[in-house]
Amino acid sequence: MGMITSDEYKIHWWGIGANGSATMFWAFTNLFNMPSKKGAGGRRNNYDNNSFKEGYKKIVSTRNPYEWITAVLFDHNQLDNFEEYLTDNLMNLELMKQVKQWEEDGFTPDYFIKCDDMYGSLMEIPELKEKAEELGDELFFTINTPDYDLLGKGRQRLVEGGWKQYWNQELVDNILTNKYLKRLFELTGYDEESWK
């Protein structure tokens, strides 16, 4: 599946797991009618640096990095050794590898689709705004799930009591020494204090 390239909208999009990218992929291929190439093991979270087209905007799905990491560790059944896993294996997470790759490839995504407000994010992308408005409620109710933050879409309830319970100052101080995680906050505009 990999990257979606749309000549109609002049964009490249790819997702990274656990941030609403499956929903966005569905909306782009079914509602926006963007073409998708099958293959690459059905993965959304990869891009081909050689196929970027001149002048096309690069768009990627994202979410609050703390919540995102919690969701990924939930998927990997690692919530029980949360702190230990992040201390030893932070760079094993796909989202961290991706940011490292961006830095190595020397590019920055032009826009992010935030999973806590996918519709609002689309409205800030000039190339997609008009079509998003035209699709209106059909699109809005497909991609903006109520209680997203609390429940964790597609995971029923991410964790009883929410994702913030896993975080503390010491752990945050520790992992924010990682330049790629710092860069992710800087790029996406989420607050480093938002774990509190």
Side-chain angles (χ1 to χ4, degrees):
M1 201 184 290
M3 189 165 75
I4 290 178
T5 295
S6 170
D7 295 321
E8 181 183 354
Y9 298 101
K10 297 197 168 21
I11 63 147
H12 298 295
W13 172 88
W14 66 99
I16 311 168
N19 63 12
S21 55
T23 301
M24 211 60 246
F25 182 86
W26 188 92
F28 280 154
T29 54
N30 288 282
L31 300 179
F32 286 80
N33 295 317
M34 293 183 190
S36 70
K37 294 191 184 84
K38 291 285 179 235
R43 292 163 61 99
R44 289 176 305 282
N45 51 357
N46 45 14
Y47 65 88
D48 176 8
N49 203 28
N50 300 318
S51 63
F52 287 134
K53 295 186 180 181
E54 188 75 34
Y56 281 39
K57 294 291 193 266
K58 300 178 192 82
I59 303 170
V60 66
S61 291
T62 190
R63 80 194 289 179
N64 180 309
Y66 298 123
E67 186 184 4
W68 194 355
I69 289 169
T70 311
V72 171
L73 294 196
F74 172 82
D75 286 350
H76 293 309
N77 295 316
Q78 294 292 337
L79 289 181
D80 288 343
N81 55 336
F82 192 80
E83 291 191 37
E84 185 187 340
Y85 189 90
L86 292 184
T87 304
D88 300 338
N89 300 299
L90 183 63
M91 285 311 297
N92 287 348
L93 302 180
E94 191 66 46
L95 67 115
M96 297 297 295
K97 289 178 186 169
Q98 191 89 155
V99 179
K100 182 173 189 273
Q101 194 69 55
W102 298 345
E103 298 296 288
E104 287 171 2
D105 290 344
F107 78 82
T108 302
D110 295 294
Y111 296 102
F112 290 94
I113 296 177
K114 297 185 172 185
C115 87
D116 39 287
D117 183 14
M118 292 196 252
Y119 189 80
S121 298
L122 288 175
M123 299 309 269
E124 292 176 20
I125 302 172
E127 290 77 1
L128 299 175
K129 183 177 194 276
E130 193 179 327
K131 181 66 175 178
E133 284 178 333
E134 187 188 308
L135 289 165
D137 282 356
E138 183 185 6
L139 174 65
F140 183 85
F141 289 113
T142 300
I143 62 177
N144 273 35
T145 308
D147 304 325
Y148 194 111
D149 269 354
L150 296 174
L151 303 179
K153 185 165 186 177
R155 290 170 177 74
Q156 299 316 83
R157 186 168 53 244
L158 178 57
V159 280
E160 199 83 46
W163 57 270
K164 291 187 176 185
Q165 64 183 313
Y166 290 94
W167 296 92
N168 60 63
Q169 191 70 61
E170 191 182 350
L171 176 60
V172 166
D173 289 347
N174 181 7
I175 68 169
L176 281 178
T177 60
N178 182 297
K179 68 178 180 179
Y180 302 116
L181 186 61
K182 290 284 276 190
R183 181 76 176 132
L184 186 61
F185 277 101
E186 185 189 318
L187 286 171
T188 58
Y190 286 101
D191 183 358
E192 289 182 3
E193 300 287 301
S194 58
W195 62 272
K196 292 178 175 175

